[in-house]
Amino acid sequence: MIYQLKITLKHIRPPIWRRFQVHSNITFYELHQIIQIVMGWFDSHLHEFNVNGLTITDQETLWELGVDGVPVHTARLDEHIKQEKSKFFYMYDFGDDWEHELVLEKILTPEADVVYPRCIKGKRACPPEDCGGVWGYTNLLDVIRDDDNPEREEYIEWLGGSFDAEAFDLDGVNKQLQQGVFWEGELVVAPVSSTQTFTRHAQKFWDAIPEHVQVNILSKVFCWQCTGLTTIVNFKGNIENGDLILQGQCIKCGGSVARLIERE
């Protein structure tokens, strides 16, 4: 099934929100990755979900917080969220404390020609990372909107240029979901709309690889049709002679590509 979710950044007016659709059986870690893209965060801080008082986050954070909870990599969305209108919460950056409310608006049947996840609507720009939470963001907007404020130029320089609080690029978000997030020409977040299927042993092999190395592997695949490096999507993973073979499609031309990851 498909879950249609609305996420809203709390305590800010006018609201910053997104409406998006995902497969119901994804893990909360996959949901975290999708939220980062649709909202516009950079995934450079800790996060956690709260579902009816249950904490869902990574195992290390559970240990550090000293709370009972569920690991984000294994908890499935449809195991904890089952009914339309259900609400749950997502916290990002334990310093700035960006609290988001999520609502399961609809449970839908998948459409044959639609690629999931997809964002279907949204309003207003994501706040800049490390701007000081809701208070800091409000102050930032006040400063950059005041041409006479002596701190304005310093803030503009920190932002790296102009900032439009009302901007939201729906097409850009969906492109990132399908092609990944690039920073200075390097893939930093793998495509989340890509289909990935592993055999049981291949999944164990893949899960043992650090996430930043996984991203590097996926973006360094040679395509003979494009005659250059590309990102592999919609791939299957199998073990052959102890090594992991990824066979899938080139994100640029759709042609067949493969990548061998040797067991050390």
Side-chain angles (χ1 to χ4, degrees):
M1 301 303 291
I2 298 298
Y3 279 8
Q4 179 170 302
L5 298 163
K6 182 178 180 182
I7 183 169
T8 305
L9 187 56
K10 298 187 69 177
H11 312 304
I12 290 182
R13 293 290 181 270
I16 300 169
W17 61 272
R18 312 286 186 255
R19 178 172 287 117
F20 60 103
Q21 297 174 338
V22 302
H23 288 286
S24 62
N25 63 351
I26 62 172
T27 66
F28 276 86
Y29 180 72
E30 291 171 305
L31 178 59
H32 155 71
Q33 292 179 304
I34 294 165
I35 289 172
Q36 289 288 308
I37 293 175
V38 300
M39 286 300 299
W41 299 118
F42 287 117
D43 200 8
S44 55
H45 298 283
L46 297 175
H47 71 278
E48 71 174 26
F49 292 91
N50 186 293
V51 182
N52 297 321
L54 176 67
T55 299
I56 301 176
T57 186
D58 63 274
Q59 189 66 63
E60 183 177 354
T61 302
L62 287 173
W63 288 334
E64 290 179 354
L65 294 175
V67 299
D68 292 329
V70 180
V72 70
H73 288 82
T74 57
R76 272 182 27 175
L77 181 59
D78 58 5
E79 291 176 341
H80 296 275
I81 306 297
K82 302 177 184 293
Q83 296 180 343
E84 292 183 354
K85 311 307 178 186
S86 297
K87 293 183 180 181
F88 58 110
F89 300 92
Y90 172 78
M91 179 72 76
Y92 174 62
D93 186 348
F94 295 171
D96 283 0
D97 292 334
W98 296 110
E99 187 178 3
H100 307 69
E101 179 185 85
L102 290 106
V103 179
L104 174 55
E105 293 186 319
K106 297 179 182 179
I107 300 176
L108 306 167
T109 301
E111 298 179 41
D113 298 327
V114 173
V115 177
Y116 301 99
R118 66 170 177 172
C119 187
I120 58 177
K121 198 170 184 180
K123 291 290 185 180
R124 308 186 76 227
C126 183
E129 294 266 2
D130 303 316
C131 69
V134 172
W135 179 89
Y137 180 54
T138 302
N139 180 66
L140 180 150
L141 293 181
D142 289 340
V143 170
I144 65 175
R145 289 167 176 166
D146 182 359
D147 293 338
D148 297 325
N149 192 304
E151 295 181 299
R152 183 176 185 277
E153 291 304 317
E154 181 181 345
Y155 274 63
I156 294 294
E157 182 179 356
W158 180 79
L159 287 167
S162 61
F163 176 77
D164 184 358
E166 302 304 316
F168 174 64
D169 183 1
L170 178 62
D171 291 338
V173 166
N174 281 311
K175 182 177 180 180
Q176 289 185 328
L177 289 172
Q178 295 177 23
Q179 298 185 9
V181 178
F182 288 81
W183 178 257
E184 297 182 347
E186 293 290 326
L187 183 73
V188 293
V189 179
V192 296
S193 293
S194 169
T195 300
Q196 302 176 14
T197 305
F198 292 91
T199 63
R200 183 167 61 88
H201 293 298
Q203 187 72 64
K204 291 180 64 177
F205 188 121
W206 182 249
D207 289 345
I209 300 173
E211 290 173 18
H212 71 282
V213 178
Q214 291 179 355
V215 171
N216 186 60
I217 289 170
L218 297 178
S219 63
K220 298 293 190 297
V221 180
F222 189 82
C223 176
W224 290 98
Q225 291 92 330
C226 297
T227 64
L229 293 179
T230 187
T231 299
I232 185 173
V233 295
N234 302 326
F235 56 83
K236 296 180 179 180
N238 299 287
I239 298 294
E240 294 185 13
N241 299 320
D243 300 324
L244 176 62
I245 304 290
L246 301 181
Q247 296 177 310
Q249 294 178 303
C250 168
I251 199 170
K252 299 176 182 177
C253 70
S256 297
V257 291
R259 177 73 191 265
L260 169 69
I261 303 99
E262 296 181 328
R263 184 180 296 277
E264 296 182 351

